[in-house]
PDB file of all heavy atoms in Angstrom:
ATOM      1  N   ALA A  78     -10.160  41.579  30.291  1.00 98.00           N
ATOM      2  CA  ALA A  78      -9.751  42.159  29.056  1.00 98.00           C
ATOM      3  C   ALA A  78     -10.177  43.598  28.870  1.00 98.00           C
ATOM      4  O   ALA A  78      -9.484  44.492  28.253  1.00 98.00           O
ATOM      5  CB  ALA A  78     -10.402  41.224  28.030  1.00 98.00           C
ATOM      6  N   ILE A  79     -11.294  43.935  29.425  1.00 98.00           N
ATOM      7  CA  ILE A  79     -11.770  45.358  29.413  1.00 98.00           C
ATOM      8  C   ILE A  79     -10.745  46.074  30.205  1.00 98.00           C
ATOM      9  O   ILE A  79     -10.374  47.225  29.699  1.00 98.00           O
ATOM     10  CB  ILE A  79     -13.165  45.509  29.864  1.00 98.00           C
ATOM     11  CG1 ILE A  79     -14.105  44.662  28.859  1.00 98.00           C
ATOM     12  CG2 ILE A  79     -13.544  46.989  29.974  1.00 98.00           C
ATOM     13  CD1 ILE A  79     -15.560  44.801  29.283  1.00 98.00           C
ATOM     14  N   ALA A  80     -10.450  45.803  31.308  1.00 99.00           N
ATOM     15  CA  ALA A  80      -9.529  46.432  32.170  1.00 99.00           C
ATOM     16  C   ALA A  80      -8.204  46.623  31.502  1.00 99.00           C
ATOM     17  O   ALA A  80      -7.509  47.772  31.420  1.00 99.00           O
ATOM     18  CB  ALA A  80      -9.408  45.788  33.566  1.00 99.00           C
ATOM     19  N   GLN A  81      -7.779  45.570  30.903  1.00 98.00           N
ATOM     20  CA  GLN A  81      -6.450  45.581  30.218  1.00 98.00           C
ATOM     21  C   GLN A  81      -6.392  46.551  29.061  1.00 98.00           C
ATOM     22  O   GLN A  81      -5.466  47.137  28.658  1.00 98.00           O
ATOM     23  CB  GLN A  81      -5.936  44.152  29.843  1.00 98.00           C
ATOM     24  CG  GLN A  81      -5.735  43.287  31.068  1.00 98.00           C
ATOM     25  CD  GLN A  81      -5.188  41.929  30.699  1.00 98.00           C
ATOM     26  OE1 GLN A  81      -4.286  41.722  29.949  1.00 98.00           O
ATOM     27  NE2 GLN A  81      -5.771  40.847  31.391  1.00 98.00           N
ATOM     28  N   ARG A  82      -7.557  46.569  28.260  1.00 98.00           N
ATOM     29  CA  ARG A  82      -7.731  47.354  27.083  1.00 98.00           C
ATOM     30  C   ARG A  82      -7.407  48.768  27.380  1.00 98.00           C
ATOM     31  O   ARG A  82      -6.719  49.626  26.672  1.00 98.00           O
ATOM     32  CB  ARG A  82      -9.103  47.191  26.589  1.00 98.00           C
ATOM     33  CG  ARG A  82      -9.313  47.990  25.200  1.00 98.00           C
ATOM     34  CD  ARG A  82     -10.616  47.608  24.575  1.00 98.00           C
ATOM     35  NE  ARG A  82     -10.984  46.196  24.681  1.00 98.00           N
ATOM     36  CZ  ARG A  82     -12.185  45.740  24.850  1.00 98.00           C
ATOM     37  NH1 ARG A  82     -13.235  46.424  25.108  1.00 98.00           N
ATOM     38  NH2 ARG A  82     -12.449  44.399  24.805  1.00 98.00           N
ATOM     39  N   TYR A  83      -7.970  49.352  28.646  1.00 98.00           N
ATOM     40  CA  TYR A  83      -7.902  50.792  28.936  1.00 98.00           C
ATOM     41  C   TYR A  83      -6.738  51.113  29.937  1.00 98.00           C
ATOM     42  O   TYR A  83      -6.477  52.247  30.033  1.00 98.00           O
ATOM     43  CB  TYR A  83      -9.199  51.183  29.479  1.00 98.00           C
ATOM     44  CG  TYR A  83     -10.234  51.177  28.396  1.00 98.00           C
ATOM     45  CD1 TYR A  83     -11.226  50.234  28.368  1.00 98.00           C
ATOM     46  CD2 TYR A  83     -10.220  51.914  27.201  1.00 98.00           C
ATOM     47  CE1 TYR A  83     -12.135  50.011  27.412  1.00 98.00           C
ATOM     48  CE2 TYR A  83     -11.119  51.780  26.246  1.00 98.00           C
ATOM     49  CZ  TYR A  83     -12.155  50.855  26.387  1.00 98.00           C
ATOM     50  OH  TYR A  83     -13.024  50.583  25.227  1.00 98.00           O
ATOM     51  N   LEU A  84      -6.195  50.048  30.552  1.00 98.00           N
ATOM     52  CA  LEU A  84      -5.272  50.445  31.678  1.00 98.00           C
ATOM     53  C   LEU A  84      -3.941  49.684  31.481  1.00 98.00           C
ATOM     54  O   LEU A  84      -2.981  49.923  32.141  1.00 98.00           O
ATOM     55  CB  LEU A  84      -5.814  49.998  33.136  1.00 98.00           C
ATOM     56  CG  LEU A  84      -7.190  50.718  33.431  1.00 98.00           C
ATOM     57  CD1 LEU A  84      -7.725  50.015  34.746  1.00 98.00           C
ATOM     58  CD2 LEU A  84      -6.913  52.201  33.643  1.00 98.00           C
ATOM     59  N   GLY A  85      -3.964  48.733  30.366  1.00 98.00           N
ATOM     60  CA  GLY A  85      -2.701  47.997  30.134  1.00 98.00           C
ATOM     61  C   GLY A  85      -1.451  48.640  29.817  1.00 98.00           C
ATOM     62  O   GLY A  85      -0.352  48.073  30.015  1.00 98.00           O
ATOM     63  N   ASP A  86      -1.560  49.968  29.322  1.00 98.00           N
ATOM     64  CA  ASP A  86      -0.377  50.666  29.077  1.00 98.00           C
ATOM     65  C   ASP A  86       0.336  51.247  30.310  1.00 98.00           C
ATOM     66  O   ASP A  86       1.441  51.733  30.166  1.00 98.00           O
ATOM     67  CB  ASP A  86      -0.704  51.897  28.200  1.00 98.00           C
ATOM     68  CG  ASP A  86      -1.037  51.398  26.761  1.00 98.00           C
ATOM     69  OD1 ASP A  86      -0.682  50.187  26.412  1.00 98.00           O
ATOM     70  OD2 ASP A  86      -1.635  52.119  25.908  1.00 98.00           O
ATOM     71  N   ASP A  87      -0.270  51.153  31.362  1.00 98.00           N
ATOM     72  CA  ASP A  87       0.263  51.727  32.602  1.00 98.00           C
ATOM     73  C   ASP A  87       1.159  50.651  33.192  1.00 98.00           C
ATOM     74  O   ASP A  87       0.723  49.677  33.632  1.00 98.00           O
ATOM     75  CB  ASP A  87      -0.879  51.999  33.558  1.00 98.00           C
ATOM     76  CG  ASP A  87      -0.285  52.743  34.778  1.00 98.00           C
ATOM     77  OD1 ASP A  87       0.767  52.600  35.301  1.00 98.00           O
ATOM     78  OD2 ASP A  87      -1.173  53.732  35.209  1.00 98.00           O
ATOM     79  N   SER A  88       2.404  50.977  33.189  1.00 98.00           N
ATOM     80  CA  SER A  88       3.467  49.951  33.683  1.00 98.00           C
ATOM     81  C   SER A  88       3.408  49.669  35.212  1.00 98.00           C
ATOM     82  O   SER A  88       4.050  48.746  35.618  1.00 98.00           O
ATOM     83  CB  SER A  88       4.917  50.453  33.311  1.00 98.00           C
ATOM     84  OG  SER A  88       5.178  51.659  33.884  1.00 98.00           O
ATOM     85  N   ARG A  89       2.600  50.374  35.874  1.00 99.00           N
ATOM     86  CA  ARG A  89       2.659  50.120  37.357  1.00 99.00           C
ATOM     87  C   ARG A  89       1.663  48.867  37.731  1.00 99.00           C
ATOM     88  O   ARG A  89       1.651  48.446  38.751  1.00 99.00           O
ATOM     89  CB  ARG A  89       2.093  51.448  38.111  1.00 99.00           C
ATOM     90  CG  ARG A  89       2.974  52.610  37.938  1.00 99.00           C
ATOM     91  CD  ARG A  89       2.371  53.769  38.515  1.00 99.00           C
ATOM     92  NE  ARG A  89       1.116  54.140  37.924  1.00 99.00           N
ATOM     93  CZ  ARG A  89       0.105  54.969  38.365  1.00 99.00           C
ATOM     94  NH1 ARG A  89       0.319  55.481  39.490  1.00 99.00           N
ATOM     95  NH2 ARG A  89      -0.987  55.105  37.661  1.00 99.00           N
ATOM     96  N   VAL A  90       0.814  48.464  36.694  1.00 99.00           N
ATOM     97  CA  VAL A  90      -0.181  47.515  36.961  1.00 99.00           C
ATOM     98  C   VAL A  90       0.167  46.199  36.262  1.00 99.00           C
ATOM     99  O   VAL A  90       0.570  46.179  35.147  1.00 99.00           O
ATOM    100  CB  VAL A  90      -1.550  48.041  36.648  1.00 99.00           C
ATOM    101  CG1 VAL A  90      -1.741  48.308  35.187  1.00 99.00           C
ATOM    102  CG2 VAL A  90      -2.650  47.033  36.969  1.00 99.00           C
TER     103      VAL A  90
END
Side-chain angles (χ1 to χ4, degrees):
I79 294 176
Q81 293 184 48
R82 185 176 311 144
Y83 296 108
L84 302 169
D86 286 345
D87 190 324
S88 60
R89 297 171 301 163
V90 60

